[in-house]
Every structure is written in structure tokens, then in C-alpha cells.
Amino acid sequence: MLNYLAQNPFAYLFLALAIGYPLGRVTVKGINLGATAGTLVVSIGIALAASALFGITYDIPGLVEDIFLMLFMYALGMKVGPQFFSGLARGGLDFVVIGLIVVFSNFLIVFFGVKLIDLGPGYAAGIISGSYTVTAVMGVAQSAVSSGAFKLPEGITADMVGANMAAGYAISYVLSSIFIILLIKYLPKMFGHDPVEAAKQAEEEFSGGEDGGALPGTAGASILGFTDKQIRSYLVEHEELAGQSVHDLFKKYPHAAILKVVRGDEVLDAQDNPTIQMGDIIGVMGEYSVLLSGSEKVGNEVAEPRARMVDIEVADIHVGKSDYAGMTLQELGAEIGFGVHLKSMFRAGVAIPHLPKTVVEKGDVLRLAGPSWCVNQAAKALKSVPIVESAYTEISFMSAALVMGFIIGHASLELGGIPFALGTSAGCMLMGILVSWLRTRNPDFGGPTSEGARAFLNDIGLSLFVAVLGAGVGPKIMSSFQGTTVIWIAIIGLLGALVPPFLAWCYGYYIRKMNPIILAGGCAGGRNSTPALNGVQDISGSAISAVAYPVPYALTSAIVLILGYIAMVFS
């Protein structure tokens, strides 16, 4: 079996995923490894057993590793990009400082700790990756080795460096994953605060913000959610309505739109602008308060499902070079708002209040809900196209972005005689950030990107990368566990994982006097620990801590990769 896997790397890689994913989901007292760490453990275990028992090694082309890592990095950039920029605008300086404290103190503790103990090359990057639970750090560190930015010392091979990296990652990852949850979860209580009461205070403080839902071009943008708009059916009994077209009535009553007309066995769609007759049953969409007076102005409300069976879609529309730019929302609604209602409004990637007197500007994104033909009609008037989430992904644009990211990351600059490059994987991530950020401004930019496809690239890319990494370093990993190496990795890894968020807590608590639950959420974001955030939400009985998570999370997700690369280059 092990020999078969050596001859068929495809089987080896996907067997590692098949076993690693369920292993990563095994939970002991609320703690689990996660899919990525589970895959790495299985891959190393198979390779180690094959080498120790039968002398079999697994030779998988490095190109496979590079391709999947760059796909993962681009997908990760697409995920954090909207948070990275719009979050910086919304979150405030404190969240930024928290992230910077955590990420730079982690680097200093680990890098100089490894130097002080005189551990071999690769350990610093591996411990940073594990203590920060960001596996991608190993990818950029590995690229520093393969590109020649890190000069291999005499007698040290790239495989030995990779083995050191994997050893540092594996030990520090497991320990930090467990203890970071406990630390951040109980920090408010340790400082004498009731988490539930603190969360209630935070909810009151943050309740005034504008929540427009998912940003344009991101997952969840086309979810209808809750709305005060309803569709109700009425029997036309008032003679003054007869003889008027659907569009004529909308101009008189712009707060309600007739979407269906039922006339005997015939169902007429409002798209054809039918003329209303006495005895028709009409399906009217509008706010609940407006529809309550329908019986007085139209006739008795009746139970006619054919008049109310209307498919509603949600789409983002970018306001282009339109004559309507400069109008208020109230004026715009009267002109082109037939059959649609405005769910959210975004300007420069940030949700803004959509009040009747709000002026529409060129470049705004309007999130409209209504029948597809009504949404299309409004988009055409605004000289735009409606963007709806779909399963389709624009492959050509994504490929072009990856090429640009590769070129940017591959460009090298010599500093002190040492070639320094951002790294192709980090370059791809930056392109993902840029593309997703631009899509929050104009969701039509670069064509649609399916969230399912993005999530798949994210998961499969990282998992296959670590599977290839484990195959290469597995046979060498035992040489890294000599003497007291394991103990020092554990100590440095725990210090790198726990001290930085505690320092950030002290800054927010003593200097900035932040709400302890909000502060805990920011510390979890700075440490890139979603399980820690879940722990805070669990103990506080509220999700409010999540408002502080995106900014430090997105900021440190990018910076830690650069610091991991630097740690490898100067190790």
C-alpha cells in the first residue's frame, strides 16, 4: 500500500485529505485540530511510517505545491480584502493598533527566542506559523528557501529546513490552538468583569451604526433576508382605478406597485403594463403600513395566491454615467423604482444610511430587491447591469489576476546583497485583496466570483499544499526532535501565542479603556483565532464581540506572512 502511494502521488495526496479532514473535526472538550492541521499530521505520519519501516520516500513535484498554495492565497485575499479596507475605515485606530501589537510582538518573541536558543533554520518560521495558527506562513517561508532569498548554510539542505519548519509548526500549532481559546475567553472575567453585562453595554454603544449586510461582491450579497415589504391581493371595486394602466397608477402612488393582475382564468404580468378593469384582482407590493389602507383605496383584500406568487431576487447595481446621479432616493424611486425596494446603499465600499433625502452619486452601489424584470428595468435606467450571486466564476479574469500576482511576487530587490522578494504566494494574495476591494466599489468588476468556488479554492489549495509539504518533510522530521528541541519549541510557541494578545489587552484595557468584550474580540482577531472569538461569544451570550474581529484579523493576515518571510530570510 505504501509503495503504491509512492508510485501514485495523486492517491497519496487525496488519501491524506480523506483521513485528515475527519481527524481534524474530532473534538475533545471543545478543541479540535482543524482540517488543515489534521491533513498535515496524516501526511507526515504516512511519509514517516513509509520511510522508517520500508525506506520509501515520496517525490511529489514542487510545481504541485506552488500551484495550490497560490490558489489558496488568492482565495484568502478575496475573503479578507473587503474587511481589510472597509474595516479600516469603520473600525477605528484602536483595532489597528491591537493587530499591530499582536503580530509584531509575536514575531519578536519567536524570532529572537529561536536566535537565543540557537535552534536551526526554519524553526522560527514554523513556530510563527503554528503559534499564529496561520499555515500559509510556511508557504511564504518555503518560497524564500526555493527562490534563494534564504541562503542555505553549508551542510543544510532545503528538506532539512522544511523538516524544522514542520516540527516547529506542528508542536506550537496544537498548543496555541488550545490555550489561546482559554486565555481570550476568560480575560474579561480575570479582570473582574461580568461578560454578559459587558456585552449588553457594548450592544448599546454599537447599535447606532448602519448595517447594510454583506458588502457588494461578497458572499451573502444576494440574500433577501427580512423586509417590511409585502405582496397582498385586492379586488378592484373602486371605479376611479378602472381604465388606468399599471404604470399610470404607480406615478400616482409611488409607494406601492401592482405586480400581477388576475382576470378570471388569466394572469397578467405588470411588465406588459395592463389596464385595470373593475373586478380584477391585483397583487400589490409595498410597505405594510401602506398596504393596510388598500381596502379603502382599491377594494376588499382577498385570498388569491396567483396575484401574490412573484419571484423576488436581490441584486447590486452600480450607478454609472447616469442622468439620475445627483437625485435624492425619493426622487429616484419615483422615476425608476417600479416594483423594487432599496435594501442597502454603499458608497466607497461602506454601507451608508438610505434615507429619502440621501443623494445618489456616481459610483454608488444600490442593493435592490424585486421581480427580476423590475430589477433589470431599474439597472438599465442607471446604465448598469444587476449583479446577482451565482455559481459561475470568471476564470479568465481570475487567471489574469494570478499572473499579475505571480509577477509582482517574483520581482526581486537586493538589500545588503540579499535578494528580497515579496514571494509569489504573497503577490497572489495581494491581488486577491485588490480585486475583492474593487468589487465592493463596483460588483461588476472582473466578472462574478462564486463564493462556493472561492471557498473550495481556499480549502483544497491549503490542504493539498500541506499534504505535499508533509510528504517531503515526513522522513526528515525525526532529525529535528533532538535533545531539548521539543521543549524549547513548546515554550517559545506558547509565549508567541499568548503574550502578544495579552499585551494588546493591556493596551486596550488600561490605555484606551475599551469595553472588555469588544477588546476580547479585537484580541481574537489580532491572533487570527476564530475559535477564540467563538469562546468570547459563548461566555458573553452575544455576538457583539465580532465587530472588533475583522480589522485586526485582516490586517495581521497580510502582515504575518511578510514577517514569516523575513524570519526565514534572516534566520
Side-chain angles (χ1 to χ4, degrees), residues 269-559:
D269 199 288
Q271 185 174 6
D272 301 324
N273 195 26
T275 298
I276 303 300
Q277 298 179 9
M278 290 290 291
D280 286 347
I281 297 176
I282 57 175
V284 185
M285 184 177 78
E287 294 182 5
Y288 179 70
S289 58
V290 173
L291 297 179
L292 282 177
S293 60
S295 297
E296 301 173 4
K297 298 179 179 179
V298 182
N300 289 325
E301 184 174 1
V302 295
E304 175 51 83
R306 290 180 296 171
R308 293 181 282 109
M309 292 178 63
V310 179
D311 289 329
I312 302 296
E313 75 171 19
V314 178
D316 286 340
I317 297 174
H318 178 258
V319 180
K321 295 180 179 179
S322 170
D323 296 335
Y324 296 110
M327 283 188 173
T328 65
L329 287 175
Q330 187 175 40
E331 294 169 339
L332 183 65
E335 289 286 336
I336 66 168
F338 182 89
V340 298
H341 70 271
L342 182 65
K343 287 181 59 64
S344 306
M345 181 175 181
F346 301 88
R347 181 169 295 162
V350 177
I352 64 173
H354 46 287
L355 304 174
K357 298 301 182 182
T358 300
V359 176
V360 179
E361 297 180 1
K362 178 185 173 183
D364 287 350
V365 176
L366 307 179
R367 181 163 296 160
L368 302 181
S372 59
W373 68 269
C374 293
V375 173
N376 290 334
Q377 183 174 268
K380 184 177 180 181
L382 292 170
K383 294 183 170 55
S384 183
V385 292
I387 304 300
V388 181
E389 283 187 81
S390 89
Y392 170 68
T393 296
E394 179 49 66
I395 299 297
S396 62
F397 182 85
M398 183 186 74
S399 301
L402 284 168
V403 170
M404 292 181 64
F406 180 89
I407 294 172
I408 292 171
H410 194 260
S412 178
L413 176 67
E414 282 200 7
L415 297 175
I418 299 174
F420 185 85
L422 181 62
T424 53
S425 53
C428 290
M429 180 184 180
L430 289 178
M431 283 305 301
I433 289 175
L434 179 62
V435 168
S436 61
W437 176 71
L438 290 173
R439 280 180 62 77
T440 65
R441 270 71 179 160
N442 183 355
D444 193 34
F445 177 76
T449 301
S450 162
E451 170 58 18
R454 191 215 62 78
F456 175 76
L457 289 178
N458 189 96
D459 293 345
I460 198 72
L462 183 57
S463 296
L464 283 174
F465 160 72
V466 299
V468 176
L469 180 65
V473 304
K476 315 289 190 308
I477 198 170
M478 289 306 296
S479 62
S480 301
F481 290 87
Q482 296 177 356
T484 58
T485 299
V486 175
I487 297 175
W488 284 120
I489 291 175
I491 293 173
I492 297 173
L494 279 174
L495 290 175
L498 304 181
V499 172
F502 186 78
L503 294 176
W505 171 273
C506 292
Y507 160 80
Y509 188 79
Y510 290 111
I511 299 177
R512 300 300 300 162
K513 312 296 184 184
M514 294 175 66
N515 179 286
I517 293 300
I518 297 298
L519 177 55
C523 291
R527 252 294 282 109
N528 270 228
S529 178
T530 304
L533 176 66
N534 292 340
V536 176
Q537 293 176 336
D538 179 60
I539 200 171
S540 66
S542 169
I544 191 63
S545 57
V547 302
Y549 186 83
V551 173
Y553 171 84
L555 185 67
T556 58
S557 292
I559 294 177

Side-chain angles (χ1 to χ4, degrees), residues 236 240-258 273-276 282 338:
V236 177
E240 60 266 27
L241 298 180
Q244 299 192 59
S245 71
V246 166
H247 289 175
D248 288 339
L249 288 172
F250 177 73
K251 290 179 181 179
K252 292 182 180 180
Y253 309 104
H255 295 293
I258 299 173
N273 195 26
T275 298
I276 303 300
I282 57 175
F338 182 89

